[in-house]
Every structure is written in C-alpha cells, then in structure tokens.
Amino acid sequence: MRLCILTVFLLTAATAHAQEAAAAKPAPWGSPTVDNGACCQTLDEVRANIDRIDHDIVRLMAERGRYVHEAARFKADPTHVEVPARAEAVVQKAMTLAAQNGLSPQIAESTYRPMLRAYLDYEQQVFAKASAAGQTPWKQK
C-alpha cells in the first residue's frame, strides 16, 4: 500500500515538474499572434495574460452586478425581473460585438446566456432580501 501511494506521489510530482518546465519553454510550433506577434514567447506568458484578463472580467462582472442590483429598484415587483425580449437583445448585441472584435459569436452566446440567467437569479434574490427586511412596496397596493 505504501509503495502504491509513494509511486502515485512520485508520478504526480514528476508530471507537475514536467508541466512547469514545459510552461517556460518556447512553443514547439507556430509563431506569436497576439499584439502583432509581440506576445507570447512562453506558456507562462500566455497564462499571465489570461490571469490579467480574468481579473478584469471578474471586476467588470462585479460592476455589472451592482447595476443589476440597482435595476431592481426600478421594477414594480419581482415579476418584472425577467424580460425575455431584453435578455435576447443583450445576447444578440454580445454576439454582434464578438464578431466585430474577432471572437466567435457562439462563444459570446454560450457565455452570455448562463451569465444573464445568473444575474436574473441574483436580481430575484435582491427582491427576496428586500421582502425579508419588510421592504415590500409592491405588496402594499
């Protein structure tokens, strides 16, 4: 049993070391395509840029979430959260922007539809929290 665990540990460590070494090596084929060929010389450089972009994406998602929270104030009640025509327009706009910026419209669509669903669910939670706090002007009619 100990030998088996030791073997798995050594194989895992060797694989991780090989992957780290490969990340610092130049690409075995092709030439750089980002920033007019100025980037990227190693996989580590690619990953660093992806991490930088992910940071910006999450920051922008958080900002979007603050506006979704704000949007709830303008809706008479929770039944007004979902507006299918608006959601479809947002997805179509994202697909158009994707095509204009060199991104597959299908990637934009596949990203935006679940993201919008998550924000709609979040907006419903805003109403639920308001209701739990006794802030229910939509019920006072």
Side-chain angles (χ1 to χ4, degrees):
M1 176 73 166
R2 286 184 181 166
L3 179 59
C4 183
I5 292 172
L6 180 60
T7 302
V8 169
F9 174 77
L10 290 175
L11 286 174
T12 303
T15 301
H17 179 71
Q19 288 174 346
E20 287 175 16
K25 290 183 181 178
W29 64 274
S31 56
T33 58
V34 178
D35 291 337
N36 294 319
C39 180
C40 296
Q41 300 304 316
T42 66
L43 185 55
D44 283 340
E45 190 176 353
V46 171
R47 289 176 176 164
N49 280 286
I50 289 172
D51 290 346
R52 174 185 56 77
I53 292 165
D54 286 345
H55 180 269
D56 290 344
I57 289 170
V58 171
R59 180 183 52 77
L60 290 169
M61 288 174 66
E63 181 179 355
R64 190 182 201 288
R66 290 188 292 275
Y67 282 102
V68 167
H69 187 281
E70 188 70 10
R73 292 188 319 110
F74 293 91
K75 297 178 182 177
D77 61 63
T79 65
H80 291 94
V81 168
E82 294 197 38
V83 181
R86 168 69 179 150
E88 191 58 33
V90 170
V91 170
Q92 292 303 315
K93 177 73 171 181
M95 292 173 71
T96 299
L97 288 170
Q100 292 170 354
N101 286 280
L103 174 67
S104 162
Q106 289 73 31
I107 291 175
E109 180 180 25
S110 296
T111 302
Y112 261 77
R113 288 196 188 281
M115 181 178 72
L116 290 179
R117 176 77 261 155
Y119 281 116
L120 290 170
D121 292 346
Y122 171 70
E123 194 171 353
Q124 289 290 358
Q125 292 171 9
V126 170
F127 273 97
K129 286 180 184 176
S131 183
Q135 302 168 342
T136 54
W138 59 91
K139 291 183 179 179
Q140 297 171 3
K141 295 179 181 179

